Amino acid sequence: MSKALDGVRILDFTHVQSGPTCTQLLAWFGADVIKVERAGAGDITREQLRDIPDVDSLYFTMLNHNKRSVTIDTKNPEGKQVLEALIQKCDVLVENFAPGALDRMGFTWERIQELNPRMIVASVKGFGPGPYEDCKVYENVAQCAGGAASTTGFDDGPPVVTGAQIGDSGTGLHLALGIVTALYQRTHSGRGQRVLAAMQDGVLNLCRVKLRDQQRLERTGVMKEYPQYPNGKFGEAVPRAGNASGGGQPGWILKCKGWETDPNAYIYFITQAPVWAKICNVIGKEEWATDPNYATPAARLPHLKDIFAEIERWTMTKTKFEAMQILNKYDIPCGPILSMKEIAEEPSLRKTGTIVEVDHPTRGKYLTVGNPIKLSDSPTEVTRSPLLGEHTDEVMAELGYSPEQVSALRTAGAI
Ligand code: CAO
């Protein structure tokens, strides 16, 4: 079966996490992704957080599946020529260097257009144009500058970053959408274009509901579904909401049986309005279904803490999986807090290819997250990440270099 992006060639000039997640997705959709790395060193993540000496780290392998790796010193004049040949052959150049690095290498937008007017140049940067545009940025900086940290955590504690890599992998996703959109526009316009995904913008896009709440707060001075209501105080900015639901259906994380020893024996419980009577029945508080203090969503808002305390008295008598089973019977929305260990061992995720076991020549078998986006006509097969420079000779031959030329370039330190 052919793949959705068959025939699309990506010059992958990305490193660390944000860019590589983007190009990995494109590879999973069938693009030929040629990762350019520096000889001898490669993407810095190859050696970061290593769990086996001298073997590509899980950090690297889990972000660079289905790609080919070539080594080019793009600051060497002959290496530059090889990169130029690749630019002429590829459809998209993806990069996430520090601001200005590509220009300093001599590959400005104007130069790239001269070489290939159909080329799409896609970049991740920490910030868009403005006061911070020249800054280097990592994940947690983006979470802080994009509004996630100030709105995450509990009211009586400091801002908190989340384990979900919304700055890196989130921006990679945004960039991938920008790239396929630009490829589509090119089918009409015949021209390439620049695609920019700034990490601050990507995080803010994912924190959209908090900008909604900022404006609600400014208009009304209070947000009744936040845990600060009715006894706490609201300031000028959206406060941290603990585990409150981001939407109109109040929710909270509640203890389940075993919580004393198991840090993940918890369930997320949503008091969805249409199933309120069923919730009351399940927890043995039938009278709340008709009591005017509890019967309507508006009446319940001032009592949310008490309501969740009462529900927790019930959830603490069940394991999170027992509670799930009972609540699902009544269509009560809830979700177990799953540990990474539980997720890794979950058979249904293995079956759908969301968790995949991959074999690697120097590492052996390891688990990774497969393609979370499933296309019925373009299924994803996850193949291992490339060793450093594994495909240099193959790609050089495709560019028309003879083995002798390749060997001379290698001696000159260009590849
Ligand atoms: N041959 C020769 N030189 C190369 C090369 C190659 N194949 N590949 C990279 N280089 C050079 C670059 O040209 C750059 O040189 P100059 O500084 O002289 O211009 C140099 O390597 C280092 O690039 P960098 O500044 O991007 O790398 P860094 O490790 O110092 O910074 C990071 C890393 C991530 C902070 C920075 O790249 C950045 O801010 N990127 C944009 C935002 C981003 O994607 N952040 C998320 C990273 S994932 O957590």
Side-chain angles (χ1 to χ4, degrees), residues 13 15-18 36-38 72-75 96-98 101 104-105 124-126 136-139 168 199:
F13 226 164
H15 64 159
V16 202
Q17 185 181 162
S18 63
V36 176
E37 297 177 84
R38 244 185 302 209
I72 307 175
D73 180 349
T74 55
K75 287 186 173 163
N96 68 312
F97 290 127
R104 284 195 292 279
M105 235 180 248
V124 170
K125 293 289 166 262
K136 288 188 175 183
V137 167
Y138 283 105
E139 171 69 46
D168 281 339
M199 294 169 74

Side-chain angles (χ1 to χ4, degrees), residues 21-249:
T21 58
C22 166
T23 50
Q24 178 170 259
L25 269 177
L26 300 174
W28 281 340
F29 290 135
D32 176 14
V33 175
I34 303 167
K35 182 166 174 116
V36 176
E37 297 177 84
R38 244 185 302 209
D43 187 327
I44 194 166
T45 59
R46 283 188 187 266
E47 60 173 55
Q48 279 178 339
L49 311 177
R50 269 189 179 148
D51 56 328
I52 307 175
D54 303 325
V55 166
D56 284 340
S57 71
L58 286 165
Y59 195 7
F60 177 83
T61 54
M62 291 178 72
L63 291 166
N64 289 285
H65 293 105
N66 298 62
K67 304 181 184 178
R68 300 198 280 170
S69 165
V70 301
T71 50
I72 307 175
D73 180 349
T74 55
K75 287 186 173 163
N76 173 305
E78 288 170 286
K80 270 196 190 12
Q81 283 173 12
V82 178
L83 194 75
E84 286 179 1
L86 267 176
I87 290 173
Q88 281 162 332
K89 198 175 158 70
C90 290
D91 300 281
V92 187
L93 184 159
V94 191
E95 64 92 22
N96 68 312
F97 290 127
L102 202 58
D103 291 357
R104 284 195 292 279
M105 235 180 248
F107 293 98
T108 59
W109 165 241
E110 292 71 25
R111 176 70 188 131
I112 293 171
Q113 279 213 299
E114 268 169 30
L115 291 165
N116 179 358
R118 286 173 59 79
M119 171 138 275
I120 290 155
V121 177
S123 304
V124 170
K125 293 289 166 262
F127 293 92
Y132 305 122
E133 63 187 307
D134 293 329
C135 296
K136 288 188 175 183
V137 167
Y138 283 105
E139 171 69 46
N140 289 342
V141 175
Q143 287 198 26
C144 293
S150 72
T151 53
T152 303
F154 287 85
D155 203 22
D156 56 359
V160 173
V161 294
T162 154
Q165 303 286 283
I166 55 178
D168 281 339
S169 293
T171 308
L173 261 170
H174 283 89
L175 192 72
L177 179 59
I179 290 169
V180 290
T181 306
L183 280 167
Y184 182 70
Q185 190 171 9
R186 195 180 72 172
T187 61
H188 316 303
S189 70
R191 283 186 292 119
Q193 62 181 300
R194 276 176 291 182
V195 180
L196 170 66
M199 294 169 74
Q200 182 185 40
D201 301 8
V203 170
L204 177 58
N205 185 35
L206 298 176
C207 292
R208 179 172 295 260
V209 297
K210 296 297 178 181
L211 184 57
R212 170 200 69 194
D213 289 350
Q214 178 63 33
Q215 295 170 85
R216 292 171 61 222
L217 179 66
E218 282 168 19
R219 191 174 304 276
T220 64
V222 72
M223 289 182 296
K224 293 182 178 172
E225 77 286 8
Y226 273 57
Q228 288 77 4
Y229 179 80
N231 300 319
K233 276 177 73 179
F234 286 93
E236 286 189 338
V238 174
R240 294 185 263 290
N243 289 315
S245 148
Q249 305 289 353

Side-chain angles (χ1 to χ4, degrees), residues 186-369:
R186 195 180 72 172
T187 61
H188 316 303
S189 70
R191 283 186 292 119
Q193 62 181 300
R194 276 176 291 182
V195 180
L196 170 66
M199 294 169 74
Q200 182 185 40
D201 301 8
V203 170
L204 177 58
N205 185 35
L206 298 176
C207 292
R208 179 172 295 260
V209 297
K210 296 297 178 181
L211 184 57
R212 170 200 69 194
D213 289 350
Q214 178 63 33
Q215 295 170 85
R216 292 171 61 222
L217 179 66
E218 282 168 19
R219 191 174 304 276
T220 64
V222 72
M223 289 182 296
K224 293 182 178 172
E225 77 286 8
Y226 273 57
Q228 288 77 4
Y229 179 80
N231 300 319
K233 276 177 73 179
F234 286 93
E236 286 189 338
V238 174
R240 294 185 263 290
N243 289 315
S245 148
Q249 305 289 353
W252 201 256
I253 288 183
L254 306 177
K255 291 171 184 158
C256 290
K257 200 182 198 171
W259 67 273
E260 299 91 335
T261 52
D262 176 356
N264 295 304
Y266 289 84
I267 192 165
Y268 199 91
F269 193 107
I270 298 176
T271 56
Q272 195 208 13
V275 290
W276 176 243
K278 292 178 186 170
I279 294 171
C280 297
N281 276 338
V282 167
I283 64 166
K285 293 290 281 184
E286 290 82 357
E287 66 276 18
W288 275 2
T290 48
D291 181 336
N293 280 326
Y294 294 90
T296 65
R300 287 194 287 277
L301 288 173
H303 312 296
L304 284 179
K305 269 204 186 94
D306 299 340
I307 290 170
F308 284 122
E310 191 62 44
I311 299 173
E312 191 170 61
R313 269 192 272 281
W314 178 82
T315 56
M316 280 165 69
T317 66
K318 311 275 178 278
T319 69
K320 60 190 175 190
F321 298 114
E322 289 166 351
M324 270 289 282
Q325 232 174 5
I326 297 167
L327 297 170
N328 276 326
K329 264 204 309 229
Y330 299 105
D331 276 342
I332 299 167
C334 57
I337 307 305
L338 294 181
S339 69
M340 270 301 152
K341 183 167 165 46
E342 288 166 329
I343 288 171
E345 290 166 359
E346 172 56 45
S348 64
L349 294 175
R350 300 282 184 109
K351 217 167 158 189
T352 56
T354 296
I355 298 277
V356 188
E357 191 175 75
V358 183
D359 205 359
H360 185 276
T362 53
R363 153 172 298 284
K365 288 191 173 26
Y366 66 95
L367 285 187
T368 195
V369 184

